[in-house]
Amino acid sequence: QVQLVESGGGSVQVGGSLRVSCAASGRTASPYIMGWFRQAPGKEREFVAAISRSGGTTYHADSVKGRFTISRDNAKNTMYLQMNSLKPEDTAVYYCAATTLVTITTAIYSESEYDYWGQGTQVTVSS
């Protein structure tokens, strides 16, 4: 079992920045492929970004590409999402997730492929 805990959410004005973190505990001896998803009010949860086990390969949704950056520090068992140039449409609950997939495939875009989830952290962008 792996436990994931997000932190760092909050409120920010349009154009501002936030960094959310995801700390993993439990069975973390071998890194997992991990990802960030978000869910806005009245909408389905959507893929934001994913990162390989080593951190050397990353994927970002088109809607956040160039503004958000996913990263990880395996020594600290922590993953990050740096969010810059925030827009009102980025307002959502952000969830981190881990998958037992061994290699990255297109499956990483699907929330059904993730086995462990955090409780979520609220990010609100106001104009």
Side-chain angles (χ1 to χ4, degrees):
Q1 286 287 347
V2 175
Q3 293 77 46
L4 303 175
V5 178
E6 301 95 337
S7 62
S11 296
V12 65
Q13 292 191 327
V14 170
S17 298
L18 274 178
R19 188 178 79 162
V20 290
S21 302
C22 174
S25 60
R27 297 183 64 180
T28 58
S30 296
Y32 293 84
I33 294 170
M34 298 186 71
W36 287 100
F37 287 76
R38 67 185 181 185
Q39 187 167 23
K43 295 187 177 181
E44 294 185 351
R45 191 153 53 183
E46 64 174 2
F47 171 82
V48 175
I51 190 165
S52 64
R53 297 164 73 183
S54 68
T57 304
T58 61
Y59 299 84
H60 297 82
D62 288 343
S63 59
V64 306
K65 203 169 291 183
R67 301 188 298 120
F68 291 12
T69 303
I70 189 173
S71 62
R72 68 190 301 165
D73 183 338
N74 286 340
K76 296 182 179 179
N77 292 323
T78 301
M79 176 179 68
Y80 306 97
L81 184 67
Q82 177 66 45
M83 303 182 288
N84 298 328
S85 301
L86 283 159
K87 304 175 181 180
E89 52 263 45
D90 295 319
T91 295
V93 177
Y94 283 72
Y95 298 90
C96 69
T99 173
T100 54
L101 288 172
V102 176
T103 58
I104 287 188
T105 69
T106 54
I108 61 165
Y109 299 108
S110 172
E111 63 175 302
S112 64
E113 295 295 333
Y114 289 79
D115 304 281
Y116 306 105
W117 291 85
Q119 81 290 348
T121 186
Q122 177 71 46
V123 172
T124 302
V125 184
S126 58
S127 56

